[in-house]
């Protein structure tokens, strides 16, 4: 029963994270402004797998203000300085900047929701002893 509860908790967390991402994306797509940004640097954050680079971009807003912002998505290897990337930003919160890509804005948030839903359904079916796939693990 403990494994099923862990599956449910993790699945609800993934589902909630996906829902929050979808809400943020929906807001950005409806209210955001698009711009071309230049990569001016990369911020390295160490991980167990070696680390990841978060691009720091500079872009011009629709009000002709230059903004420098670290993106929330990291890459390995790092992105080349001077490279261009299409972004979408919230004109009311210039810290809310995302890469303007179908994968980042639509596919990944939906994938999180689907994975979370599948986990919740699986966990509930296991608790109700409908599937009994985890019985061999106990």
């Amino acid at each position: 029963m403990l494994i099923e509860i862990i599956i449910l908790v993790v699945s609800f967390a993934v589902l909630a994270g996906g829902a929050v991402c979808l809400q943020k994306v929906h807001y950005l797509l409806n209210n955001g402004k698009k711009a071309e940004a230049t990569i001016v640097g990369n911020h390295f954050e160490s991980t167990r797998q070696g680390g990841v680079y978060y691009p720091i971009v500079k872009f011009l807003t629709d009000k002709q203000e230059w903004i420098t912002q670290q993106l929330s998505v990291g890459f390995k290897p790092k992105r080349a300085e001077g490279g261009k990337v299409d972004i979408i930003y919230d004109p009311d919160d210039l810290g809310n900047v995302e890469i303007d890509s179908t994968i980042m804005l639509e596919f990944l948030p939906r994938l999180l929701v689907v994975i979370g839903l599948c986990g919740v359904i699986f966990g509930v079916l296991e608790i109700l002893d409908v599937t009994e796939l985890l019985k061999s693990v106990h």
Side-chain angles (χ1 to χ4, degrees), residues 64-113:
Q64 303 305 306
E65 298 174 279
W66 283 103
I67 303 296
T68 302
Q69 178 70 34
Q70 178 178 307
L71 298 179
S72 61
V73 176
F75 297 92
K76 190 173 183 179
K78 66 182 177 180
R79 292 288 180 101
E81 290 184 27
K84 304 290 184 186
V85 64
D86 292 325
I87 54 120
I88 186 168
Y89 67 93
D90 180 356
D92 297 325
D93 177 9
L94 296 175
N96 185 5
V97 178
E98 295 293 335
I99 294 175
D100 187 15
S101 121
T102 302
I103 291 174
M104 300 302 296
L105 295 177
E106 296 185 29
F107 179 74
L108 289 179
R110 285 179 171 80
L111 181 62
L112 287 175
V113 169

Side-chain angles (χ1 to χ4, degrees), residues 110-123:
R110 285 179 171 80
L111 181 62
L112 287 175
V113 169
V114 168
I115 290 170
L117 279 173
C118 288
V120 168
I121 291 168
F122 177 73

Side-chain angles (χ1 to χ4, degrees), residues 25-42:
V25 164
H26 179 73
Y27 179 82
L28 268 179
L29 290 174
N30 288 331
N31 303 302
K33 303 284 184 176
K34 295 183 179 191
E36 182 179 69
T38 302
I39 299 171
V40 295
N42 288 278

